[in-house]
Amino acid sequence: MTCSARRTRRMLQVTGAGAAALLALSACSSSDSAGKSESGASGSSSDKLSGEVTVFAAASLKESFTTLKKEFEKEHPGTKVTFSFGGSDSLAAGITSGAPADVFAAASPKTMKTVTDKGDAVGEPATFIRNQLEIATLPGNPDKVSSLKDLTKSGRKVVLCDKTVPCGSAAQKALGASHLELTPVSYEQDVKSALNKVVLKEADAAVVYKTDVKAAGDKVEGVEFPESAKAINDYPIARLKNAKNPDAAKAFIALVRSDKGQRVLNQAGFLKP
């Protein structure tokens, strides 16, 4: 083999090795780029969420959802959760009348149905927790209330939620199950208002949710009654059709239904769905 041929062969070998190295480098580079792209997509999924998400929620969810708001905004910087708490029936009426909201969390399937029947919810609402009634009395229970029947005694000032509100509807169901009639001194538009009457000593007792008694701490004393087991409310949650921030709405619902969200709700006294 001539010197010229040997040189040509060596050059081809070097060129082939270089091409192989270049191809390997290119493959690594492509792999790295893909990895970075996927990592970036997954890492930036929370970054994609921004802006305000408006949640209409039953008054009994106030403490738990306020805790979850902090968690949500921490997980998704750049977002802001705004709440409107109140009686589920009033909130449902607002939604069907065009009030701007992204998420609705109701205290009963009946009030959620008001929204779904109008086509204002997306998909099937999901039950995320349940709640049970309890009697809230003045601290120390000075009237020695031990049953639902004790609330019917003459001269006793008792407050109930309005019959159209889920806590009021549940109270009526419990009274019916025990064959009792009760005329309250007032009907309140949401459970917090009913409880507040006792806190302010404007009433001797109120039939509210266990979660509200727990949230009130030593401002009231709770009395359980067996008929409450026949009037447990399921709480459904749904994304709304006219949501201005649908992605954030989905993410908030996901947090509520996650293990983390369920722990917060269970610690507040809510029952598992």
Side-chain angles (χ1 to χ4, degrees):
M1 185 180 290
T2 66
C3 291
S4 173
R6 281 198 297 271
R7 280 198 301 272
T8 302
R9 185 177 178 183
R10 269 200 305 272
M11 285 177 68
L12 286 172
Q13 285 174 338
V14 170
T15 304
L22 184 61
L23 285 170
L25 182 61
S26 174
C28 289
S29 176
S30 297
S31 174
D32 288 347
S33 296
K36 285 177 183 176
S37 173
E38 288 172 11
S39 170
S42 115
S44 65
S45 61
S46 63
D47 297 338
K48 291 179 182 177
L49 295 180
S50 62
E52 187 173 2
V53 54
T54 302
V55 179
F56 277 26
S60 48
L61 291 165
K62 185 174 183 179
E63 290 80 14
S64 300
F65 270 25
T66 300
T67 299
L68 291 177
K69 161 191 165 76
K70 295 173 185 174
E71 184 63 33
F72 185 83
E73 292 175 350
K74 179 182 175 183
E75 288 182 5
H76 305 287
T79 61
K80 179 183 178 183
V81 182
T82 301
F83 293 116
S84 180
F85 293 109
S88 294
D89 62 322
S90 299
L91 296 174
I95 291 167
T96 57
S97 296
D102 300 289
V103 175
F104 181 37
S108 75
K110 183 180 178 181
T111 45
M112 177 60 79
K113 191 172 184 295
T114 302
V115 172
T116 56
D117 282 354
K118 291 285 188 179
D120 288 327
V122 176
E124 190 69 23
T127 298
F128 64 103
I129 39 93
R130 308 170 82 206
N131 212 348
Q132 193 166 356
L133 296 175
E134 195 167 68
I135 298 168
T137 70
L138 296 169
N141 193 6
D143 294 320
K144 307 301 177 189
V145 174
S146 61
S147 68
L148 201 57
K149 187 176 181 180
D150 287 343
L151 299 183
T152 65
K153 290 181 180 179
S154 178
R156 189 144 294 165
K157 294 186 291 184
V158 179
V159 171
L160 298 177
C161 294
D162 191 85
K163 294 177 183 179
T164 62
V165 179
C167 66
S169 177
Q172 295 301 320
K173 194 180 293 185
L175 287 165
S178 55
H179 307 289
L180 295 172
E181 290 187 10
L182 173 61
T183 302
V185 292
S186 71
Y187 286 107
E188 299 300 319
Q189 290 304 308
D190 62 65
V191 70
K192 295 297 185 189
S193 299
L195 182 73
N196 205 39
K197 290 286 185 180
V198 181
V199 172
L200 297 175
K201 297 182 171 56
E202 294 176 5
D204 303 319
V207 180
V208 295
Y209 292 122
K210 283 187 173 185
T211 52
D212 295 290
V213 172
K214 186 170 183 176
D218 59 5
K219 294 177 182 177
V220 298
E221 185 163 323
V223 177
E224 296 182 353
F225 58 97
E227 296 87 352
S228 67
K230 299 177 182 179
I232 294 176
N233 278 0
D234 290 343
Y235 281 48
I237 190 167
R239 180 164 57 95
L240 297 174
K241 184 181 72 175
N242 294 325
K244 292 182 178 179
N245 199 342
D247 290 338
K250 284 190 282 188
F252 183 80
I253 292 172
L255 174 61
V256 169
R257 299 184 64 194
S258 70
D259 289 342
K260 187 181 293 184
Q262 289 295 298
R263 278 195 299 273
V264 170
L265 290 157
N266 293 155
Q267 286 167 3
F270 287 99
L271 306 173
K272 292 181 179 180

